[in-house]
Amino acid sequence: MQNFPEFKKGKIHDVVVRPLSKFLDERGWLAELFRSDEADPAIMPAMAYLSMTQPGVARGPHEHVDQTDWFCFIGPSNFKVYLWDARPESASFGVRQTIYAGIDAPLAVIVPPGVVHAYKNIGGENGIVFNAPNRLYAGEGKKSPVDEIRHEEVEGSPFTLD
């Protein structure tokens, strides 16, 4: 296992957190999740997917070598998002950050490669998460190795969820 520092609380360099505005009318609401005129071309999404996470369930922790994730937490539940900067060259190497997002605080959270991340549904109902990564899962035609380093089952991992 790689040697990781003892992580300290703080904000992680290159992680972008953006409020998502809901535009309401008599039909319901609409939220813009990303716009090409507001995104760095290097992190422009290559695909998009939705996942549903049951109450009390977590996804991660894991990290990517090349992929940037563009998560959007809009509800109907709330999530605790965990981030650890494992990039030795980063100004915030060794920093851990926690963000609360979802129905009570709609957010986009853009996670660069090398930042270990996880999220847990802390609400009382199923939660939906949108992700628009800048790389295709398993590459073109799903013929490449998956860009994912998983830490969930690693004994003694510093990436623990509370």
Side-chain angles (χ1 to χ4, degrees), residues 113-145:
V115 173
V116 178
H117 51 284
Y119 57 80
K120 182 176 183 177
N121 182 343
I122 58 170
E125 58 187 298
N126 291 340
I128 302 295
V129 177
F130 169 91
N131 189 15
N134 70 334
R135 300 285 187 267
L136 294 173
Y137 181 82
E140 191 77 33
K142 296 185 181 179
K143 295 178 182 170
S144 300

Side-chain angles (χ1 to χ4, degrees), residues 6-33:
E6 180 150 339
F7 288 89
K8 60 188 179 300
K9 226 174 160 181
K11 291 193 185 273
I12 296 177
H13 184 66
D14 297 324
V15 169
V16 177
V17 178
R18 292 185 180 160
L20 293 172
S21 298
K22 290 182 177 177
F23 301 97
L24 304 168
D25 67 19
E26 63 280 352
R27 301 166 294 174
W29 59 265
L30 174 144
E32 291 182 349
L33 303 181

Side-chain angles (χ1 to χ4, degrees), residues 65-119:
V65 175
D66 295 309
Q67 178 176 304
T68 296
D69 282 322
W70 192 309
F71 292 112
C72 295
F73 300 90
I74 54 175
S77 199
N78 286 303
F79 291 85
K80 187 172 183 179
V81 182
Y82 302 83
L83 305 162
W84 298 265
D85 194 346
R87 304 168 297 168
E89 73 287 352
S90 171
S92 57
F93 176 61
V95 171
R96 73 180 178 331
Q97 183 175 358
T98 304
I99 299 165
Y100 292 89
I103 190 75
D104 293 335
L107 294 176
V109 180
I110 303 169
V111 182
V115 173
V116 178
H117 51 284
Y119 57 80

